[in-house]
Amino acid sequence: MERKISPSELIINDDNSIFHLHIKPEMLCDRIILVGDPARVDLVASFFDERTAEVSNREFHTVCGIFKGKPVMCVSHGIGADNIDIVINELDALANIDFSTRTVRDDFHQLTMVRIGSSGSIQEDVPVGSMVVAEKALGIDGAFHFYRDSEKFRDVEFENEFIRQCDWKPLWNHPYVVDADEELVRRLVTPEMHLGVTITANGFYGPQGRELRLPLAESRYKELLHKFEYKGRKITNFEMESAMLQGLAKLMGHKAVTICAIIAGRISNTADTHYKGSMKRLISTVLDRL
Protein backbone atom coordinates (compact mmCIF):
# COMPACT_ATOMS: atom_id res chain seq x y z
CA MET A 1 0.00 0.00 0.00
CA GLU A 2 1.34 3.44 -0.95
CA ARG A 3 2.43 5.41 2.10
CA LYS A 4 0.63 8.67 2.72
CA ILE A 5 2.91 11.16 4.47
CA SER A 6 1.23 12.68 7.51
CA PRO A 7 0.77 16.46 8.06
CA SER A 8 3.18 16.33 11.00
CA GLU A 9 5.97 14.90 8.79
CA LEU A 10 5.37 17.00 5.68
CA ILE A 11 4.09 20.40 6.77
CA ILE A 12 2.45 22.32 3.92
CA ASN A 13 1.45 25.96 4.41
CA ASP A 14 -2.02 27.26 3.53
CA ASP A 15 -0.72 28.67 0.24
CA ASN A 16 0.58 25.19 -0.79
CA SER A 17 4.20 26.13 -0.08
CA ILE A 18 6.67 23.96 1.86
CA PHE A 19 6.90 24.77 5.58
CA HIS A 20 10.29 26.48 6.04
CA LEU A 21 11.29 27.58 2.55
CA HIS A 22 7.81 28.89 1.58
CA ILE A 23 8.53 27.69 -1.98
CA LYS A 24 5.62 26.31 -4.02
CA PRO A 25 6.12 23.25 -6.27
CA GLU A 26 5.61 25.28 -9.44
CA MET A 27 8.50 27.62 -8.46
CA LEU A 28 11.11 24.85 -8.31
CA CYS A 29 14.00 24.83 -10.82
CA ASP A 30 16.25 21.87 -11.63
CA ARG A 31 19.42 23.97 -11.23
CA ILE A 32 19.90 25.40 -7.74
CA ILE A 33 22.59 27.62 -6.24
CA LEU A 34 22.79 27.33 -2.45
CA VAL A 35 24.35 30.03 -0.25
CA GLY A 36 24.50 30.55 3.49
CA ASP A 37 23.85 34.27 3.73
CA PRO A 38 20.32 35.44 2.75
CA ALA A 39 21.84 38.70 1.44
CA ARG A 40 24.11 36.72 -0.91
CA VAL A 41 21.01 35.52 -2.78
CA ASP A 42 20.61 39.03 -4.18
CA LEU A 43 24.25 39.00 -5.26
CA VAL A 44 23.70 35.74 -7.16
CA ALA A 45 20.42 37.01 -8.61
CA SER A 46 22.18 40.15 -9.89
CA PHE A 47 23.70 37.87 -12.56
CA PHE A 48 20.27 36.65 -13.72
CA ASP A 49 18.84 38.04 -16.95
CA GLU A 50 15.41 38.04 -15.33
CA ARG A 51 13.85 37.43 -11.90
CA THR A 52 10.68 35.36 -12.03
CA ALA A 53 9.83 34.83 -8.33
CA GLU A 54 11.07 35.71 -4.85
CA VAL A 55 10.13 34.57 -1.35
CA SER A 56 11.68 34.86 2.13
CA ASN A 57 11.08 33.21 5.49
CA ARG A 58 13.50 33.36 8.41
CA GLU A 59 17.01 32.73 7.03
CA PHE A 60 15.62 31.12 3.89
CA HIS A 61 15.60 33.57 0.97
CA THR A 62 14.85 32.36 -2.56
CA VAL A 63 15.04 34.09 -5.93
CA CYS A 64 14.06 32.26 -9.12
CA GLY A 65 15.11 33.55 -12.51
CA ILE A 66 16.54 33.03 -15.97
CA PHE A 67 20.25 32.90 -16.74
CA LYS A 68 21.29 32.67 -20.40
CA GLY A 69 17.90 31.27 -21.34
CA LYS A 70 17.73 28.60 -18.62
CA PRO A 71 15.71 28.57 -15.37
CA VAL A 72 17.80 28.73 -12.20
CA MET A 73 17.15 29.53 -8.55
CA CYS A 74 19.22 30.62 -5.58
CA VAL A 75 18.26 29.57 -2.04
CA SER A 76 19.92 30.61 1.23
CA HIS A 77 20.26 27.91 3.87
CA GLY A 78 21.72 29.74 6.85
CA ILE A 79 24.52 28.16 8.88
CA GLY A 80 25.08 24.53 9.76
CA ALA A 81 24.28 20.95 8.76
CA ASP A 82 20.97 21.13 10.64
CA ASN A 83 19.79 23.82 8.23
CA ILE A 84 21.00 21.77 5.28
CA ASP A 85 18.82 18.93 6.58
CA ILE A 86 15.82 21.26 6.30
CA VAL A 87 16.64 22.76 2.92
CA ILE A 88 17.56 19.59 1.02
CA ASN A 89 14.63 17.59 2.39
CA GLU A 90 12.21 20.37 1.46
CA LEU A 91 13.67 20.87 -2.02
CA ASP A 92 13.43 17.12 -2.61
CA ALA A 93 9.85 17.12 -1.33
CA LEU A 94 8.97 19.87 -3.81
CA ALA A 95 10.48 17.79 -6.60
CA ASN A 96 9.34 14.29 -5.68
CA ILE A 97 6.23 14.40 -3.47
CA ASP A 98 2.72 15.12 -4.72
CA PHE A 99 1.39 17.70 -2.27
CA SER A 100 -2.24 16.95 -3.12
CA THR A 101 -2.00 13.24 -2.26
CA ARG A 102 1.00 13.38 0.13
CA THR A 103 2.59 10.45 -1.69
CA VAL A 104 5.96 10.00 -3.39
CA ARG A 105 5.77 10.52 -7.16
CA ASP A 106 6.49 7.54 -9.43
CA ASP A 107 8.70 9.61 -11.75
CA PHE A 108 11.88 10.71 -9.96
CA HIS A 109 12.92 14.33 -10.53
CA GLN A 110 16.68 14.93 -10.13
CA LEU A 111 18.03 18.26 -8.87
CA THR A 112 21.49 19.74 -9.42
CA MET A 113 22.69 21.75 -6.42
CA VAL A 114 25.88 23.77 -6.02
CA ARG A 115 26.69 25.39 -2.70
CA ILE A 116 28.83 28.52 -2.98
CA GLY A 117 30.37 29.34 0.37
CA SER A 118 33.24 30.86 2.31
CA SER A 119 35.78 28.79 4.17
CA GLY A 120 39.01 28.66 6.16
CA SER A 121 42.07 26.86 4.81
CA ILE A 122 44.23 24.52 6.91
CA GLN A 123 46.98 24.03 4.32
CA GLU A 124 49.65 26.55 3.30
CA ASP A 125 49.24 25.75 -0.39
CA VAL A 126 45.54 26.71 -0.27
CA PRO A 127 45.93 30.44 0.38
CA VAL A 128 43.40 33.16 1.14
CA GLY A 129 41.75 34.16 -2.14
CA SER A 130 41.82 30.66 -3.63
CA MET A 131 38.83 28.38 -4.31
CA VAL A 132 38.27 24.80 -3.14
CA VAL A 133 35.93 22.21 -4.64
CA ALA A 134 34.82 19.75 -1.93
CA GLU A 135 35.61 16.61 -3.93
CA LYS A 136 35.29 14.84 -0.58
CA ALA A 137 33.50 16.24 2.45
CA LEU A 138 34.22 15.00 5.98
CA GLY A 139 31.34 15.65 8.36
CA ILE A 140 31.84 15.85 12.13
CA ASP A 141 28.29 17.09 12.75
CA GLY A 142 26.70 13.64 13.10
CA ALA A 143 23.45 14.49 11.31
CA PHE A 144 23.92 12.14 8.33
CA HIS A 145 23.92 9.08 10.60
CA PHE A 146 20.20 9.55 11.29
CA TYR A 147 19.43 8.28 7.78
CA ARG A 148 19.36 4.58 6.82
CA ASP A 149 21.86 3.25 4.28
CA SER A 150 24.33 6.10 4.78
CA GLU A 151 27.14 3.53 4.73
CA LYS A 152 26.42 2.84 1.04
CA PHE A 153 27.74 6.28 0.16
CA ARG A 154 30.40 6.79 2.83
CA ASP A 155 34.14 6.21 2.53
CA VAL A 156 34.41 4.14 5.70
CA GLU A 157 38.13 3.37 5.25
CA PHE A 158 38.85 7.10 5.07
CA GLU A 159 36.75 7.65 8.20
CA ASN A 160 38.64 4.99 10.16
CA GLU A 161 42.02 6.38 9.14
CA PHE A 162 40.91 9.87 10.13
CA ILE A 163 39.83 8.58 13.55
CA ARG A 164 43.19 6.86 14.01
CA GLN A 165 45.49 9.63 12.83
CA CYS A 166 43.64 12.47 14.52
CA ASP A 167 43.11 10.65 17.82
CA TRP A 168 39.38 11.29 17.46
CA LYS A 169 37.60 11.32 20.82
CA PRO A 170 34.73 8.86 21.48
CA LEU A 171 32.68 11.74 22.94
CA TRP A 172 32.73 13.53 19.59
CA ASN A 173 30.45 12.60 16.69
CA HIS A 174 31.55 9.74 14.48
CA PRO A 175 32.94 11.32 11.28
CA TYR A 176 31.47 10.52 7.88
CA VAL A 177 33.07 11.04 4.46
CA VAL A 178 30.99 11.58 1.30
CA ASP A 179 32.10 12.32 -2.27
CA ALA A 180 30.63 15.08 -4.40
CA ASP A 181 28.92 14.14 -7.65
CA GLU A 182 31.78 13.28 -10.03
CA GLU A 183 30.15 14.59 -13.21
CA LEU A 184 29.28 17.88 -11.51
CA VAL A 185 32.84 18.29 -10.24
CA ARG A 186 34.24 17.74 -13.75
CA ARG A 187 31.78 20.25 -15.18
CA LEU A 188 32.49 23.01 -12.65
CA VAL A 189 36.18 22.75 -11.80
CA THR A 190 38.60 25.19 -13.40
CA PRO A 191 42.43 25.12 -13.41
CA GLU A 192 42.58 27.77 -10.67
CA MET A 193 40.47 25.69 -8.24
CA HIS A 194 41.81 23.19 -5.71
CA LEU A 195 40.20 19.74 -5.41
CA GLY A 196 40.00 19.22 -1.69
CA VAL A 197 38.76 17.40 1.38
CA THR A 198 36.47 19.81 3.20
CA ILE A 199 35.60 19.37 6.87
CA THR A 200 31.99 20.12 7.80
CA ALA A 201 32.20 21.25 11.41
CA ASN A 202 29.32 21.51 13.87
CA GLY A 203 30.40 24.94 15.10
CA PHE A 204 32.50 27.95 14.13
CA TYR A 205 34.74 28.26 17.17
CA GLY A 206 35.74 25.15 19.16
CA PRO A 207 34.83 22.60 16.45
CA GLN A 208 37.03 24.54 14.02
CA GLY A 209 39.92 24.83 16.46
CA ARG A 210 39.37 28.48 17.42
CA GLU A 211 40.19 29.59 20.95
CA LEU A 212 38.77 32.79 22.42
CA ARG A 213 38.28 32.51 26.20
CA LEU A 214 37.64 28.77 26.34
CA PRO A 215 40.53 26.30 25.87
CA LEU A 216 40.03 23.35 23.51
CA ALA A 217 39.56 19.82 24.80
CA GLU A 218 42.35 18.76 22.40
CA SER A 219 45.18 21.30 22.21
CA ARG A 220 46.65 19.57 19.13
CA TYR A 221 43.36 19.65 17.24
CA LYS A 222 44.27 21.99 14.38
CA GLU A 223 47.76 20.49 14.08
CA LEU A 224 46.39 16.94 13.80
CA LEU A 225 43.98 17.98 11.07
CA HIS A 226 46.73 19.86 9.26
CA LYS A 227 49.06 16.83 9.28
CA PHE A 228 46.45 14.22 8.34
CA GLU A 229 47.09 12.46 5.03
CA TYR A 230 45.48 9.39 3.48
CA LYS A 231 46.16 8.05 -0.01
CA GLY A 232 47.77 11.35 -0.96
CA ARG A 233 44.83 13.44 0.26
CA LYS A 234 45.01 16.13 2.92
CA ILE A 235 42.25 18.05 4.62
CA THR A 236 42.10 21.40 2.85
CA ASN A 237 39.52 23.55 4.58
CA PHE A 238 36.84 24.05 7.24
CA GLU A 239 33.20 25.00 6.73
CA MET A 240 29.82 23.87 8.11
CA GLU A 241 27.53 22.40 5.42
CA SER A 242 29.22 20.39 2.63
CA ALA A 243 29.13 16.84 4.00
CA MET A 244 25.44 16.90 4.86
CA LEU A 245 24.58 18.42 1.47
CA GLN A 246 26.59 15.85 -0.47
CA GLY A 247 25.43 12.98 1.74
CA LEU A 248 21.71 13.72 1.47
CA ALA A 249 22.04 14.30 -2.28
CA LYS A 250 23.66 10.86 -2.69
CA LEU A 251 20.92 9.16 -0.67
CA MET A 252 18.17 10.96 -2.61
CA GLY A 253 19.70 10.58 -6.07
CA HIS A 254 20.51 14.25 -6.70
CA LYS A 255 23.74 15.91 -7.85
CA ALA A 256 25.56 18.17 -5.37
CA VAL A 257 28.90 19.78 -4.65
CA THR A 258 30.28 22.67 -2.61
CA ILE A 259 32.78 25.23 -3.89
CA CYS A 260 34.24 27.64 -1.35
CA ALA A 261 36.19 30.86 -1.55
CA ILE A 262 38.98 30.78 1.04
CA ILE A 263 38.69 33.86 3.25
CA ALA A 264 40.81 32.74 6.22
CA GLY A 265 44.16 31.00 6.53
CA ARG A 266 44.06 28.93 9.71
CA ILE A 267 47.77 28.05 9.52
CA SER A 268 49.02 31.47 8.37
CA ASN A 269 46.59 33.18 10.80
CA THR A 270 45.37 35.58 8.12
CA ALA A 271 41.88 36.61 7.06
CA ASP A 272 40.20 38.70 4.39
CA THR A 273 36.85 40.25 5.30
CA HIS A 274 36.72 42.03 1.92
CA TYR A 275 36.15 38.96 -0.20
CA LYS A 276 33.22 40.06 -2.36
CA GLY A 277 35.41 40.26 -5.45
CA SER A 278 36.45 36.62 -5.26
CA MET A 279 32.86 35.63 -4.42
CA LYS A 280 31.54 37.41 -7.53
CA ARG A 281 34.12 35.63 -9.67
CA LEU A 282 33.11 32.28 -8.20
CA ILE A 283 29.37 32.93 -8.71
CA SER A 284 29.94 33.90 -12.34
CA THR A 285 32.02 30.78 -12.99
CA VAL A 286 29.45 28.45 -11.43
CA LEU A 287 26.49 29.97 -13.27
CA ASP A 288 28.30 29.72 -16.61
CA ARG A 289 29.11 26.03 -16.09
CA LEU A 290 25.96 24.91 -14.28
Side-chain angles (χ1 to χ4, degrees), residues 34-171:
L34 298 169
V35 296
D37 183 359
R40 193 173 294 159
V41 174
D42 288 318
L43 177 60
V44 174
S46 70
F47 288 83
F48 295 175
D49 303 318
E50 176 189 352
R51 291 188 183 209
T52 56
E54 182 170 4
V55 64
S56 292
N57 180 52
R58 303 185 188 182
E59 62 265 62
F60 309 113
H61 179 200
T62 299
V63 173
C64 306
I66 304 295
F67 179 78
K68 294 186 177 179
K70 296 180 180 179
V72 64
M73 66 195 301
C74 183
V75 181
S76 64
H77 53 68
I79 298 175
D82 51 344
N83 274 20
I84 291 294
D85 182 63
I86 291 171
V87 171
I88 304 310
N89 271 287
E90 293 197 358
L91 288 173
D92 178 75
L94 288 161
N96 291 299
I97 295 175
D98 186 325
F99 279 20
S100 62
T101 62
R102 293 183 168 273
T103 58
V104 176
R105 298 182 186 276
D106 293 330
D107 52 331
F108 172 68
H109 185 167
Q110 186 180 64
L111 303 175
T112 298
M113 299 173 285
V114 181
R115 190 182 100 73
I116 296 175
S118 55
S119 183
S121 166
I122 53 177
Q123 299 297 335
E124 295 93 333
D125 61 352
V126 184
V128 171
S130 62
M131 301 175 191
V132 176
V133 178
E135 191 175 28
K136 282 185 177 290
L138 193 162
I140 59 173
D141 55 278
F144 191 47
H145 296 301
F146 283 86
Y147 292 91
R148 190 175 64 188
D149 295 332
S150 69
E151 68 279 357
K152 292 181 179 179
F153 300 99
R154 289 168 33 214
D155 189 335
V156 177
E157 289 184 5
F158 196 114
E159 295 169 6
N160 291 336
E161 187 61 19
F162 175 79
I163 291 168
R164 187 189 70 80
Q165 285 191 39
C166 295
D167 192 21
W168 202 248
K169 304 294 185 287
L171 283 175

Side-chain angles (χ1 to χ4, degrees), residues 10 14 30 130 179 208 240 247 253-254 263 269:
L10 173 63
D14 290 342
D30 292 348
S130 62
D179 292 343
Q208 293 191 38
M240 297 177 65
H254 302 302
I263 68 169
N269 292 316

Side-chain angles (χ1 to χ4, degrees), residues 203-252:
F204 185 78
Y205 290 97
Q208 293 191 38
R210 288 183 170 94
E211 287 189 272
L212 302 184
R213 288 203 313 116
L214 296 177
L216 298 177
E218 171 55 81
S219 61
R220 303 169 299 156
Y221 183 61
K222 191 168 62 173
E223 178 186 358
L224 289 169
L225 298 183
H226 171 67
K227 290 183 176 179
F228 172 84
E229 185 171 353
Y230 178 61
K231 293 185 177 180
R233 291 179 174 273
K234 293 188 175 184
I235 297 168
T236 48
N237 58 312
F238 274 122
E239 53 81 83
M240 297 177 65
E241 292 87 18
S242 295
M244 190 60 170
L245 165 63
Q246 295 175 190
L248 285 180
K250 290 281 188 182
L251 280 177
M252 293 173 175

